Structures are given as C-alpha cells and as structure tokens.
Amino acid sequence: MSYGAHGGWFGPDNYEECVLEKMKGQTKEMMWTAQTACEKEFPYEKELYGYKENLEISWATGGLSIYLMIKENRGDYMVTRYKAKFAKKQCSEVSSTSDYLLTEEFRFPQGAKRAYISTPDAEKYKCMRTEIIWGQYRK
C-alpha cells in the first residue's frame, strides 16, 4: 500500500510558521529573504512606508462625501487602507499641520480602486495630505 504526499499537509499554516521554517539553519542575514518569501505565500496587511511614490491618487468632493481614487498602483502591494488629512485652505496656502482640520481613513476592500467617506462640509476641503498607507502583498 502506498500513500501519496500532498503539499500543505506538513508545511507551514501561517506567516510566522513559514518564517520559522525558512530560517532553520540560516544566519540572521537571511531574515529579510525569508520574510519576503513568506509574505508572498501568506499575505497580511501592513503599513507601507514610502509607498506613496508607487501610487497615483486623486480625490474629489461631492455633496457630503470625499472620494479617493487609486488611478495607478505601480507597486507590489494592494492598498487596503489610506489615512489622509484635509485642510479647508488651498495646498499652496497651508502653513502648518494645524491647518489640517479633518483626518479620515479610507478602506479599499478586496483591491477596490475607489473609496469614500461622508462628512459635513465635504466640499469646503481643498487640500489633502497622506498620513499612512496600509496594504497587502498581491499574489
């Protein structure tokens, strides 16, 4: 009688187990390589430092809503959340962080390219500043 082997039965079930498995017998210099390989296998949401350069974002107001659109994403991560601050002054007139009166977090479920929030006086906001971008590796 023979038994077939099936992938996944004896392999890691999550990101942490994957990193531990890949690091067995490796030096600490290999940690980034192991983490990257495991993130591809087990994607999770994380803060994307410096990711703004990979995105072309536009925003607009209408009625009681502020809309945020991802026009292009040239990076390896799917944006899941985007935290931004808004000022009622034009960007060229903003002189300090205290000019940003509204902070909102937009959610992009399952790779959506558009999100919105509802807020009174939405049409009075004239300038947006990115605070934090979160995302998850695209398989």
Side-chain angles (χ1 to χ4, degrees), residues 70-84:
I70 300 172
K71 295 173 81 176
E72 186 176 356
N73 182 347
R74 296 175 294 278
D76 293 332
Y77 290 83
M78 168 179 59
V79 173
T80 54
R81 292 185 290 150
Y82 195 102
K83 187 176 183 181

Side-chain angles (χ1 to χ4, degrees), residues 48 50-56 70 72-79 113 136-139:
L48 303 176
Y51 200 74
K52 185 178 168 188
E53 288 74 35
N54 293 310
L55 299 174
E56 186 178 330
I70 300 172
E72 186 176 356
N73 182 347
R74 296 175 294 278
D76 293 332
Y77 290 83
M78 168 179 59
V79 173
K113 303 272 188 210
Q136 131 178 7
Y137 192 83
R138 291 190 260 204
K139 285 190 170 188

Side-chain angles (χ1 to χ4, degrees), residues 16-34:
E16 290 81 10
E17 288 178 10
C18 179
V19 172
L20 288 172
E21 182 178 282
K22 291 199 182 301
M23 286 304 294
K24 285 182 184 170
Q26 301 295 325
T27 63
K28 66 181 177 181
E29 288 80 17
M30 294 299 294
M31 179 63 88
W32 184 84
T33 303

